[in-house]
Amino acid sequence: MPVLVFAGMIFYLSSQSLDFITEDPFPHWDKVVHATEFGLFCFLNLRALRGTFPKAAMPAIAAWAILIAVSYGASDEFHQAFVPGRESDLLDLLADAGGAFLASTLWFYRSLRRPS
């Protein structure tokens, strides 16, 4: 359920015009936001997949979580192309993928250190 709520929140926020932001708080702040947002989304996917498929191999869980997050990021960028005041950006998608990959990698290595 948290995955669906978070996906809905991403969709809602990307449906909003950003005309109220007149200046970036720091350089490339939007890439940091994308990476953080999709890192968290990937983490929620990791939890959901691990709970649904407890016997699945951890690398497979990690790969699927990244694939889901990046696919949703691509659909989000496509969606933003039709929202006034927003634009679709390949660099945003790369930031989404980077955040998902980082979250998945940290989760994977942390789970290796944890006794089963």
Side-chain angles (χ1 to χ4, degrees):
M1 187 66 140
V3 171
L4 296 177
V5 170
F6 199 78
M9 183 188 77
I10 291 171
F11 185 84
Y12 172 76
L13 291 174
S14 68
S15 298
Q16 306 304 306
S17 174
L18 293 179
D19 53 5
F20 64 92
I21 299 176
T22 57
E23 185 176 312
D24 293 350
F26 55 88
H28 308 295
W29 76 277
D30 64 316
K31 304 308 179 248
V32 173
V33 171
H34 274 267
T36 303
E37 177 181 33
F38 279 85
L40 181 55
F41 186 59
C42 185
F43 173 74
L44 294 173
N45 280 299
L46 288 163
R47 287 185 55 223
L49 290 167
R50 191 71 177 150
T52 304
F53 305 104
K55 295 184 190 251
M58 284 185 279
I61 296 277
W64 276 106
I66 292 169
L67 181 63
I68 292 167
V70 173
S71 296
Y72 195 73
S75 73
D76 183 52
E77 289 304 316
F78 179 75
H79 166 242
Q80 285 184 30
F82 301 99
V83 176
R86 300 297 293 261
E87 60 186 39
S88 181
D89 185 2
L90 181 61
L91 293 177
D92 286 349
L93 180 58
L94 290 175
D96 298 345
F101 182 78
L102 179 62
S104 190
T105 301
L106 292 174
W107 175 85
F108 176 74
Y109 283 113
R110 184 171 177 256
S111 66
L112 288 177
R113 296 177 9 147
R114 189 180 313 156
S116 299

